[in-house]
Amino acid sequence: MEFRFTDEQNMIRDSAAAFLQDVSTPAAVRKAMVTEAGYDPELWRRICQELCFQAITVPEAYGGMGLGQVELAAVLEQMGRVLLCSPFFATVGLGVNALLLAGSEAQKQQYLPAIVAGELTATLAWTGPQAARRGGQWGCEALGAEWQKTAEGYQLSGELRYVIDGHTAGLLIVAARQAASQGREGIALFCVPAGSQGLNRQWQPGMDQTRHQARIVLNQVCLPESARLAPEADGAAVLETLLDLAKLAMAAEQAGAARQVLDMSVSYMQARVQFGRPVAGYQALKHKAADMLLKCEVSRSAVYYAACVAQEAIDPDGDKTLAGELREAAAMAKAYCSDTFFFNAGTAIQLHGGVGFTWEYDVHLYFKRAKASELYLGSGAAQRELIASLLLG
Amino acid sequence: MKLTFSAEDEAFRAEIAGWLRKNLVGEFAALRFRGGPGDEHMFPAERKRWEQKLAEGGWTGIGWPRADGGRGCSIEQQVIFHEEYARAGAPGRVGHIGEGLAGPTLIAFGSEAQKLKYLPGILAGTELWCQGYSEPGAGSDLANVKTRARPDPVGGGWLINGQKVWTSLAHEADWCFVLARTEPDSQGHKGLGFFLVSMHQPGVVVRPIEQLTGTSEFNEVFFDDAVAADIVGEPGDGWKVAMALLGFERGVSTLGQQMQFQNELDEIIRIAKSNGAAVDPVIRQRIAEAHTGLRLMRYNAMRMLSGSDSGHDQASSLVYKLHWASWHRNLGVLAMDVLGPEAEIIESAPYNLTRLQSLFLFTRSDTIYGGTNQIQRNIIAERGLGMPKEPKGKLS
Ligand SMILES: Cc1cc2nc3c(=O)[nH]c(=O)nc-3n(C[C@H](O)[C@H](O)[C@H](O)COP(=O)(O)OP(=O)(O)OC[C@H]3O[C@@H](n4cnc5c(N)ncnc54)[C@H](O)[C@@H]3O)c2cc1C
């Protein structure tokens, strides 16, 4: 048992932190977030060329760095800290994971090197409006598109929502169900390139401006046989594992962002003087900050553990017992980090007083991101119900 | 990062688990899942014999250096020991203050003669210890201790005068480590000494304090010219020694403690499934939250024990006490709410509580002893976040 970053992982974390603090300044975030794309392509190019983060989990055989989920979590944590506007979460936390988990050799050959080269971004599209109903369920119940078999391959139709970077991604991995199928039956995943006929994508502006999402309509999109991921596999199981990995990735971002709003609050409180001393000296505020730090530390423990488990789950030779914990570990990380980030961001507004309520101060950007990322993939309560069902049936 | 244990460590796990299976039988079978915080008053004599049994098996002081009579086990093996110990339901250790606090303090600060004199009794499970820090006027503000130590004009050592309070297991203990003032007019951290005092002498009076559970695990202890057998470190070093000792409290045994928590949570889940509470959506949320909190406590402890950040004030260990204490207190409330109106019915008159009722009541002390939640938050804010220190007042 050695539950700490290796020197190499520390180095990756530190270089990510240094670079991101430099480039993803509050001014840069505010500039990028009001564009339709939602990110600065020039900065994305630099990330891809100078740091190669997009290649982090891609095996060396496809030109990637061949690192794992722990390194990915370490980088995402730093991205969360600075609210980096980029297609990283969608491309690596969703798209690459889908290809790694269920892509055919030909699909990996086709897409992974392009992603590594920084030429292609990707995302996962699966939720219809259903995700907003039924207690915020984001699993198989929420699929918004249907597929049918045709003579040439497949045809997809339906409406997808809350698709992160869905309007800009070069590759959509779409999860759909066979027409008239139910529950966990009939689920399959497809590679849908951006230019496909019948694909209609629109930016859906959101309250959280730092991460853009799209509404996508599939109108009889025709795909060849070769577009289907792992045709033999249980599509529902693949989708569920993908969502577990997505929860972990989101939790890693949340943990970083939660720590950042704490640090912002502490430095504000050190500088702000009331009643003749820095407000940081008042115990009511110190205790709030202590609670925030506790939640941050526990969040990090949750994320790193889930990342280790995820690695075992992805690695074909991984420890099966640990791999079996993925569903629970990811749900726990998402639940705890969602609640932590929202608590910390909300508390940060309070600790900043009036300026915390201004557009000019950055705290609100975190507060809005906190709510958005909490609701995406299911809130803390939804995760807890999943955990309860594992424990109690 | 690596979560798995080596083959050698797994063999060690099999060894301790096997030993417990073989030995936790006969007269000791009744001790399973007994003792420990909230249940310390139960089976004291049997549990003392169990300490000696453990010692015979070579299972005391496993983390102590070999040179001091310990087993020199790695952190991993200590973790495994504590986990298996709790998993088997082996009884709460009456010897834990000696083994976990007094022993490591002596190993770090004691003279060779002191180690030779005290360590074997701790290891053999024949000499029990208690902790004499708190006083009526010094709880959170520990530097305010008033108990005095003066040179003994006859024996040449030190004589202790004063009163301690909330002294856990003092009524069972053979020895007490006492924080007392060696310089009469000194204040705060200065002028203190760390003394080892025999409980079996005329100058020591132990008076049990009845707790809200109706039982007594802690006491008032009065010292009236009690002879201190030894002082650890120099007069004036007391604060340094006392604080180092508190550091030992946050040790490897935390993972064993969690296994005990797991046993409690399992019991609550079992009840929830059998009495129908498990279908209540609110109870489901709370059980899931408790389960999550416990798992994450474990991961946090693993990070802490792996030395996740540099420096000894690493954040994962600073937050640890506040986390477990608050979690455990909430577990007590959850137990009652899962039981519903049955929670109210006690085992028998006059005031014999069930284990879960004791849990509910006793966990109110978790957020007080070992540094209250408020003091923990002060420490976290000051050491973990660099926020200003609390102002110190002067009365009159
Ligand atoms: C079950 C149990 C077992 C114990 N066992 C032992 C033992 O074996 N040996 C031993 O020496 N002691 C023992 N103690 C004592 C324990 O360490 C003290 O009770 C504890 O440190 C709190 O001190 P106090 O009781 O004097 O409370 P006080 O210090 O009087 O605190 C009263 C309230 O004020 C708050 N408070 C105090 N100072 C501050 C501050 N600066 N900022 C904010 N809030 C503050 C506290 O959090 C608390 O809520 C035990 C206590 C219990 C309950």
Side-chain angles (χ1 to χ4, degrees):
Chain A
M1 184 197 74
E2 199 38 23
F3 193 35
R4 59 190 291 184
F5 280 173
T6 60
D7 290 346
E8 193 194 5
Q9 287 163 346
N10 272 322
M11 216 176 70
I12 292 171
R13 192 251 330 261
D14 293 345
S15 58
F19 179 84
L20 291 169
Q21 276 160 32
D22 250 20
V23 295
S24 183
T25 58
V29 169
R30 283 166 183 268
K31 202 164 150 223
M33 75 187 194
V34 295
T35 64
E36 177 167 348
Y39 67 95
D40 172 6
E42 172 53 21
L43 173 55
W44 178 241
R45 194 190 58 74
R46 282 191 64 193
I47 289 174
C48 292
Q49 287 182 358
E50 293 173 31
L51 296 151
C52 294
F53 285 155
Q54 80 291 357
I56 198 159
T57 53
V58 176
E60 286 165 3
Y62 308 102
M65 290 162 70
L67 297 170
Q69 296 288 317
V70 176
E71 289 81 4
L72 174 60
V75 167
L76 278 162
E77 189 182 344
Q78 299 309 316
M79 292 178 170
R81 248 183 186 269
V82 296
L83 295 182
L84 175 71
C85 296
S86 87
F88 184 86
F89 172 85
T91 302
V92 184
L94 301 174
V96 169
N97 278 342
L99 291 167
L100 290 180
L101 211 64
S104 67
E105 187 51 37
Q107 286 161 347
K108 289 180 190 169
Q109 296 276 7
Q110 184 178 357
Y111 298 118
L112 289 176
I115 288 173
V116 167
E119 291 156 6
L120 182 70
T121 62
T123 191
L124 177 72
W126 78 103
T127 44
Q130 292 91 318
R133 302 185 198 126
R134 311 215 354 203
Q137 290 171 4
W138 290 72
C140 299
E141 320 75 11
L143 291 196
E146 290 189 343
W147 62 271
Q148 321 186 335
K149 192 92 188 63
T150 62
E152 298 77 41
Y154 301 96
Q155 194 181 74
L156 267 59
S157 289
E159 183 188 338
L160 301 166
R161 292 195 188 168
Y162 325 115
V163 185
I164 292 183
D165 294 324
H167 59 303
T168 54
L171 172 66
L172 300 172
I173 311 255
V174 173
R177 67 165 59 258
Q178 192 164 23
S181 68
Q182 297 270 324
R184 299 179 80 261
E185 300 296 316
I187 293 171
L189 288 92
F190 303 90
C191 291
V192 181
S196 303
Q197 272 276 317
L199 179 66
N200 187 322
R201 314 189 291 167
Q202 268 173 1
W203 170 33
Q204 188 98 79
M207 191 162 65
D208 166 23
Q209 295 174 289
T210 62
R211 175 148 43 212
H212 286 202
Q213 48 173 289
R215 185 167 160 253
I216 294 178
V217 175
L218 298 157
N219 195 358
Q220 299 184 337
V221 174
C222 292
L223 298 169
E225 292 268 3
S226 61
R228 182 166 171 182
L229 276 78
E232 308 304 331
D234 172 359
V238 170
L239 176 64
E240 283 166 352
T241 303
L242 262 178
L243 297 183
D244 292 339
L245 297 175
K247 286 179 195 175
L248 158 63
M250 186 57 83
E253 269 196 7
Q254 291 170 317
R259 179 64 206 234
Q260 184 68 15
V261 280
L262 167 58
D263 291 347
M264 287 161 66
S265 303
V266 170
S267 68
Y268 181 81
M269 290 187 284
Q270 300 275 26
R272 177 66 176 167
V273 173
Q274 290 289 294
F275 301 99
R277 53 184 174 124
V279 296
Y282 294 110
Q283 199 179 65
L285 278 58
K286 285 169 70 176
H287 284 194
K288 273 284 178 254
D291 286 339
M292 291 162 85
L293 181 60
L294 183 153
K295 289 171 192 290
C296 286
E297 281 304 308
V298 178
S299 291
R300 291 175 67 199
S301 301
V303 166
Y304 302 154
Y305 188 87
C308 291
V309 166
Q311 187 56 35
E312 301 295 339
I314 285 185
D315 185 349
D317 303 323
D319 179 306
K320 290 283 171 295
T321 316
L322 275 174
E325 292 183 26
L326 178 60
R327 176 104 342 127
E328 183 192 90
M332 292 193 313
K334 177 66 169 59
Y336 197 88
C337 295
S338 290
D339 292 354
T340 292
F341 185 16
F342 187 72
F343 174 86
N344 282 14
T347 306
I349 292 182
Q350 180 68 22
L351 296 177
H352 277 76
V355 303
F357 198 68
T358 63
W359 190 269
E360 186 193 340
Y361 263 66
D362 294 329
V363 189
H364 73 99
L365 300 179
Y366 286 84
F367 181 70
K368 293 166 184 171
R369 171 77 83 97
K371 200 54 177 174
S373 59
E374 173 193 335
L375 296 176
Y376 181 75
L377 292 164
S379 65
Q383 308 305 329
R384 278 190 291 277
E385 175 48 40
L386 187 132
I387 294 163
S389 70
L390 296 173
L391 284 174
L392 305 167
Chain B
M1 282 197 173
K2 191 156 80 45
L3 298 177
T4 45
F5 292 98
S6 69
E8 196 187 324
D9 289 342
E10 290 301 342
F12 180 83
R13 185 187 295 281
E15 185 192 344
I16 173 63
W19 187 89
L20 286 167
R21 250 195 320 275
K22 223 173 92 214
N23 289 281
L24 202 52
V25 293
E27 61 166 327
F28 300 124
L31 300 184
R32 290 187 69 229
F33 298 104
R34 301 310 303 250
D39 203 37
E40 292 285 22
H41 58 294
M42 292 304 294
F43 304 108
E46 294 83 349
R47 282 163 61 217
K48 282 186 196 172
R49 278 204 297 284
W50 170 250
E51 291 287 321
Q52 291 160 28
K53 185 92 195 165
L54 270 181
E56 285 164 26
W59 297 111
T60 52
I62 62 159
W64 293 13
R66 282 177 187 278
D68 297 304
R71 222 165 135 157
C73 287
S74 65
I75 296 269
E76 278 86 353
Q77 292 183 340
Q78 295 176 56
V79 164
I80 288 170
F81 170 81
H82 288 291
E83 285 185 351
E84 292 307 315
Y85 188 88
R87 198 193 310 274
R93 299 283 310 275
V94 274
H96 66 93
I97 300 176
E99 183 177 309
L101 303 181
T105 304
L106 282 163
I107 290 169
F109 296 99
S111 66
E112 283 312 309
Q114 288 170 348
K115 291 189 204 175
L116 278 176
K117 181 167 163 194
Y118 297 105
L119 297 183
I122 296 174
L123 285 171
T126 49
E127 293 190 355
L128 301 185
W129 286 74
C130 64
Q131 174 176 22
Y133 279 13
S134 302
E135 296 180 10
S140 300
D141 185 8
L142 193 56
N144 196 33
V145 296
K146 295 277 190 280
T147 294
R148 282 162 291 121
R150 68 180 169 90
D152 179 356
V154 184
W158 296 83
L159 296 174
I160 310 290
N161 282 281
Q163 184 198 344
K164 295 289 172 181
V165 74
W166 320 129
T167 317
S168 298
L169 290 172
H171 54 297
E172 301 288 350
D174 304 288
W175 294 95
C176 183
F177 47 86
V178 176
L179 192 58
R181 267 187 206 287
T182 50
E183 293 161 38
D185 300 325
S186 64
Q187 287 204 333
H189 308 167
K190 303 207 180 80
L192 291 165
F194 188 94
F195 296 94
L196 310 183
V197 181
S198 166
M199 298 296 281
H200 307 298
Q201 56 172 310
V204 177
V205 173
V206 175
R207 219 186 274 158
I209 302 173
E210 193 175 3
Q211 300 173 168
L212 51 71
T213 48
T215 57
S216 298
E217 295 169 23
F218 58 31
N219 308 270
E220 294 178 288
V221 182
F222 298 88
F223 298 100
D224 180 11
D225 268 350
V227 176
D230 272 298
I231 177 169
V232 179
E234 298 298 314
D237 281 353
W239 185 256
K240 188 180 79 187
V241 179
M243 287 302 112
L245 178 141
L246 288 183
F248 299 127
E249 264 187 322
R250 274 199 310 247
V252 190
S253 62
T254 46
L255 287 172
Q257 174 199 40
Q258 288 172 25
M259 195 60 74
Q260 218 172 291
F261 294 171
Q262 183 71 56
N263 292 338
E264 293 162 353
L265 178 57
D266 287 346
E267 172 74 357
I268 293 168
I269 289 176
R270 193 188 58 71
I271 293 170
K273 281 180 168 170
S274 70
N275 77 359
V279 299
D280 178 329
V282 177
I283 292 288
R284 290 173 74 80
Q285 284 286 313
R286 290 171 59 192
I287 287 178
E289 190 175 8
H291 174 80
T292 302
L294 182 55
R295 298 297 298 176
L296 301 189
M297 196 189 301
R298 174 179 173 76
Y299 309 153
N300 209 51
M302 286 162 63
R303 268 178 71 217
M304 169 171 105
L305 295 170
S306 301
S308 65
D309 309 311
S310 49
H312 63 284
D313 279 342
Q314 48 168 314
S316 54
S317 58
L318 280 178
V319 302
Y320 194 76
K321 163 84 208 297
L322 178 61
H323 189 213
W324 80 252
S326 308
W327 179 90
H328 202 215
R329 183 183 61 189
N330 293 347
L331 187 74
V333 181
L334 176 62
M336 296 299 99
D337 296 349
V338 162
L339 280 162
E342 271 303 307
E344 171 55 20
I345 311 302
I346 66 171
E347 232 158 41
S348 59
Y351 205 67
N352 291 324
L353 302 171
T354 64
R355 291 307 312 277
L356 289 182
Q357 287 165 337
S358 296
L359 171 76
F360 167 62
L361 294 179
F362 193 82
T363 47
R364 288 289 143 177
S365 73
D366 287 340
T367 52
I368 296 172
Y369 70 78
T372 69
N373 272 14
Q374 286 68 38
I375 295 301
Q376 295 298 328
R377 287 191 175 94
N378 285 348
I379 294 172
I380 294 167
E382 289 165 19
R383 294 198 209 146
L385 293 167
M387 297 175 83
K389 287 217 181 306
E390 284 303 290
K392 290 204 169 63
K394 260 202 172 54
L395 289 179
S396 77

